Amino acid sequence: MTATAQTLRPPSRTLMFLEGRAIHEFGAFLGALPLLSLAPRGDGHPVLVLPGLVASDVSTRALRTFLTGKGYAVSGWRQGRNYGLRDGVQHAMVDLVEELSDKHGRKISLVGWSLGGLYARQLAKMMPARVRQVITLGSPFAGDPRSTNAWRVYEWASGRKSDEVDPEFGGELAVPPPVPTTAIFSRTDGVCAWQGCMEKSGAQTESIEVESSHCGMGHHPAVVYAVADRLAQKEGQWRPFDRSGWRSLAYPDPHR
């Protein structure tokens, strides 16, 4: 555990059991597509979407397809299943960020789900000149690794201790990247303690709360809209998410 990580209890067994609602959230996503079409279009800049633990690009296909339809140059992470920071994973991600940034001649936005969000934060710290912004979905960057219900799976999949920190991969997780950063979280997350998925509010940092499962965040309608809203901001003109009007019904005050 880093010096700045919080010691938190992992979500209850009840919340873990309720993760099954991710299937219904996908149905809600499909039903909400006509409304989601009202989300702002993008400016064509590249977006890299990173999957969660033991998930692959298949898990982020719905989100990537939607963002592609909004005009972005979207890419998956291209490494099969995410088994943690095994040998070569970090270097492959760095190479991909460089490839996409060079190909399009623009900074790249990073969207990471759960463990993928931890990668996104660290990549942005290492390569701030190439990264436009970071958006994390249920990523436990501010909590002890054992404040999740997935730490044993991580250790099994990666062969590493869950609290092992690679000093060459961006430093402490809880320290925000030097680029605009949005943390999307849910208090009913059944995998990660929600308090560890929140970012401190700052000049270019924020948290957005949704009512979602952990396993459904990548296709939950409120999450998809928020991601599209954040990505559509003009480079260099980042502002916090606007919760006024109808949005207050879908996005609770994260600091309540």
Side-chain angles (χ1 to χ4, degrees):
M1 180 176 68
T2 67
T4 52
Q6 302 179 57
T7 301
L8 304 166
R9 293 176 61 87
S12 67
R13 291 183 179 180
T14 299
L15 285 176
M16 187 66 180
F17 176 77
L18 290 174
E19 282 297 306
R21 70 189 190 273
I23 298 173
H24 302 290
E25 289 167 341
F26 183 71
F29 164 74
L30 295 176
L33 283 174
L35 288 175
L36 289 173
S37 67
L38 301 177
R41 289 190 60 81
D43 61 1
H45 78 270
V47 177
L48 173 59
V49 183
L50 302 162
L53 179 63
V54 302
S56 68
D57 285 334
V58 173
S59 69
T60 65
R61 182 176 295 164
L63 177 59
R64 288 186 291 111
T65 300
F66 178 80
L67 294 177
T68 298
K70 285 296 175 182
Y72 299 100
V74 186
S75 174
W77 87 317
R78 306 177 187 173
Q79 293 195 61
R81 290 193 178 274
N82 182 357
Y83 290 119
L85 283 178
R86 293 185 169 191
D87 290 343
V89 170
Q90 174 184 329
H91 294 299
M93 290 190 292
V94 169
D95 289 345
L96 182 54
V97 170
E98 292 178 342
E99 174 192 329
L100 295 173
S101 177
D102 289 342
K103 177 181 177 181
H104 297 279
R106 306 177 69 176
K107 290 185 177 181
I108 179 174
S109 288
L110 303 176
V111 180
W113 188 353
S114 195
L115 178 59
L118 304 187
Y119 295 164
R121 290 172 65 89
Q122 302 309 88
L123 288 168
K125 294 173 193 176
M126 295 172 64
M127 314 168 72
R130 291 183 179 270
V131 177
R132 177 163 166 166
Q133 69 173 306
V134 171
I135 303 172
T136 61
L137 315 181
S139 300
F141 53 82
D144 184 316
R146 297 198 179 194
S147 63
T148 78
N149 285 317
W151 68 270
R152 291 184 180 87
V153 177
Y154 178 85
E155 292 189 348
W156 166 80
S158 68
R160 294 169 174 252
K161 292 295 185 182
S162 58
D163 59 358
E164 183 179 341
V165 177
D166 185 344
E168 296 182 359
F169 190 36
E172 291 190 1
L173 286 173
V175 176
V179 300
T181 302
T182 298
I184 300 178
F185 74 97
S186 169
R187 292 176 194 247
T188 59
D189 190 316
V191 176
C192 301
W194 62 268
Q195 300 94 328
C197 302
M198 287 186 69
E199 182 59 271
K200 295 179 180 178
S201 296
Q204 57 179 8
T205 55
E206 66 176 350
S207 295
I208 298 176
E209 182 178 351
V210 296
E211 295 181 2
S212 168
S213 68
H214 182 88
C215 296
M217 266 195 194
H219 51 251
H220 190 286
V223 175
V224 172
Y225 182 90
V227 170
D229 178 273
R230 301 291 75 202
L231 291 176
Q233 298 176 100
K234 293 182 179 180
E235 186 172 356
Q237 298 183 25
W238 187 89
R239 293 183 179 180
F241 185 67
D242 180 4
R243 293 181 50 258
S244 64
W246 68 267
R247 295 187 183 189
S248 64
L249 300 177
Y251 302 97
D253 181 356
H255 302 292
R256 69 183 189 278

